Amino acid sequence: MDDNKLLPKLSQNLLEILDDEEYYDITIEVGNDPYVKIFRAHMVILSYRSPYLRRILSANKKKNDDTLTHIKLPNISPEIFQIILRYIYGGRLFFEELDTFDVIKVLSAASELYLQELITYLQFFLIENKTDWMEQNFDFVHQTSFENDAFSELQKYCTDLISKEPDKIFKSQNFSSIPEKLLVSIVQNDNLQMDEIQVWEHVIKWGTAQNPELPSDVENYSDDNFNTLKNTLRQCIPFVRFYNLTSKEFLDRVLPYDQILPKELYKDLLKTFLSLSDPNSKPINKSKPRITKGSNFGVVRSAKRKAKSGRRIIDKFDSVYGSRVEEFYD
């Protein structure tokens, strides 16, 4: 007999307990003014399901008085906490009215409450089913994942995407608005699978997008225009591997921007590339090469491999609790 078949009924009964208005022994104030909501709950369930809440409730218990326990969670919105609370009681997720931004809010709330099972589940859910959305909102996903050590799977996803399919970031509609810190992390990546001339062109594209007043043609740049672009790209240029360019690429695509390069670097680059007899040749042993695009990798394949274990987590989660979230898949 499959004992797991008995669990959906238990899940439903626990959710009914959550809705019961008689036996609760704790109130939880969630959100900030003017968006505050009071939830009723049961200490024993919260303590066993959330290590974070267990610590808070243990501290309240030591007061040993007869007043109803009341705690505050100002960092979580009432809408998100409602979803979290139903998961805590019934092991079920209700995504019907959520967009992907809200799923990440649930993930952040799960991290605050130390709900490790839910943290793992949601990361694999996003990797398996929301890759298009995450590519389009990469800056947000990257920033969120690296602000929290618990989001290790999302961090791996972001690192793989930067390394193995940088075109998906460079050619996205939001590329020009990514922060400087993210651009620098991409450009300095040793495993960036992109030709160096493309790296340079995307750096220039990003820099000019930050300064829409610049002329569209570099031939029309004034000294002030070059200084503006130089200051914008000051943190990025040191990580461009100019010595991985061919002589022709340097002369045709970099030389027009000579004024934004540090003087000593420019002098050495000019001397190096002018000494090459073949315009399609590159300097030897002058710079560490990047992994070429010919490497047989891909972030989708990599993410799917990592997500196989995640698929098992999702399947087990759903089969145990009888709760499917397929309607939320694209």
Side-chain angles (χ1 to χ4, degrees):
M1 180 176 178
D2 184 0
D3 293 340
N4 288 342
K5 292 182 179 180
L6 302 176
L7 291 178
K9 180 61 176 178
L10 173 62
S11 172
Q12 183 60 38
N13 290 152
L14 288 170
L15 288 171
E16 291 169 359
I17 291 174
L18 175 61
D19 294 331
D20 188 279
E21 298 183 359
E22 183 175 358
Y23 296 108
Y24 68 93
D25 54 7
I26 179 175
T27 55
I28 308 168
E29 183 178 324
V30 180
N32 278 307
D33 287 333
Y35 304 109
V36 174
K37 184 174 180 179
I38 305 296
F39 292 86
R40 298 185 296 267
H42 307 81
M43 286 191 288
V44 65
I45 293 178
L46 298 183
S47 295
Y48 277 91
R49 293 286 279 162
S50 167
Y52 175 81
L53 293 175
R54 180 184 299 175
R55 286 206 306 269
I56 294 178
L57 294 173
S58 294
N60 277 273
K61 187 176 180 180
K62 291 176 182 177
K63 294 178 182 178
N64 208 20
D65 55 30
D66 295 329
T67 60
L68 190 68
T69 300
H70 181 80
I71 62 176
K72 296 182 179 181
L73 298 174
N75 296 329
I76 304 175
S77 73
E79 296 79 10
I80 298 302
F81 188 71
Q82 176 74 41
I83 294 169
I84 291 286
L85 198 58
R86 293 181 75 80
Y87 159 75
I88 287 175
Y89 273 72
R92 300 172 64 182
L93 294 172
F94 298 85
F95 280 156
E96 293 84 352
E97 299 179 0
L98 293 184
D99 62 18
T100 310
F101 275 111
D102 286 331
V103 175
I104 292 183
K105 290 179 184 178
V106 174
L107 176 61
S108 296
S111 175
E112 181 172 340
L113 299 177
Y114 298 167
L115 303 173
Q116 188 56 53
E117 177 192 46
L118 188 56
I119 293 170
T120 301
Y121 176 92
L122 290 175
Q123 286 182 93
F124 282 118
F125 172 82
L126 290 166
I127 290 170
E128 281 202 309
N129 303 285
K130 297 297 172 182
T131 52
D132 288 344
W133 183 93
M134 291 199 292
E135 289 167 9
Q136 294 169 7
N137 299 275
F138 185 77
D139 174 32
F140 173 72
V141 175
H142 183 273
Q143 180 179 344
T144 300
S145 64
F146 282 92
E147 284 178 347
N148 195 318
D149 291 339
F151 302 159
S152 58
E153 295 302 328
L154 283 183
Q155 290 175 11
K156 291 176 185 177
Y157 166 83
C158 289
T159 301
D160 280 350
L161 186 63
I162 288 174
S163 299
K164 299 168 184 176
E165 294 200 34
D167 271 350
K168 290 190 173 181
I169 303 169
F170 284 135
K171 294 182 179 180
S172 72
Q173 294 180 349
N174 299 325
F175 168 68
S176 295
S177 62
I178 68 173
E180 179 187 54
K181 183 178 180 181
L182 175 54
L183 180 64
V184 171
S185 72
I186 295 172
V187 174
Q188 70 180 353
N189 192 316
D190 288 339
N191 298 319
L192 189 65
Q193 295 179 29
M194 175 173 280
D195 294 335
E196 203 65 34
I197 189 59
Q198 293 178 292
V199 176
W200 168 250
E201 289 175 343
H202 287 302
V203 166
I204 292 296
K205 177 182 177 182
W206 183 88
T208 55
Q210 311 315 302
N211 303 282
E213 73 280 3
L214 293 177
S216 58
D217 189 341
V218 68
E219 296 293 331
N220 297 324
Y221 273 31
S222 65
D223 289 343
D224 286 342
N225 293 150
F226 278 115
N227 284 332
T228 297
L229 187 60
K230 180 178 181 178
N231 289 331
T232 300
L233 298 178
R234 187 179 299 276
Q235 301 300 320
C236 294
I237 286 178
F239 298 106
V240 178
R241 303 182 185 186
F242 294 102
Y243 296 102
N244 288 341
L245 301 173
T246 67
S247 177
K248 186 177 188 330
E249 287 171 339
F250 172 76
L251 295 174
D252 291 347
R253 315 292 271 280
V254 178
L255 198 57
Y257 294 92
D258 61 331
Q259 291 188 54
I260 73 173
L261 301 177
K263 289 184 178 179
E264 291 303 317
L265 173 62
Y266 169 68
K267 289 179 181 179
D268 191 64
L269 287 170
L270 192 61
K271 178 181 178 181
T272 298
F273 283 108
L274 288 178
S275 68
L276 298 176
S277 58
D278 183 354
N280 294 313
S281 62
K282 299 180 180 181
I284 299 175
N285 298 326
K286 292 283 287 185
S287 182
K288 184 178 180 180
R290 301 185 195 267
I291 292 179
T292 64
K293 290 195 297 182
S295 299
N296 189 25
F297 293 104
V299 71
V300 175
R301 182 183 304 171
S302 175
K304 291 298 183 182
R305 274 202 306 268
K306 292 173 185 175
K308 282 182 180 178
S309 60
R311 181 71 262 171
R312 289 193 292 270
I313 292 172
I314 291 174
D315 288 342
K316 183 175 178 60
F317 187 101
D318 291 335
S319 65
V320 167
Y321 294 107
S323 171
R324 304 299 300 175
V325 292
E326 298 295 342
E327 67 274 9
F328 190 66
Y329 293 5
D330 280 335

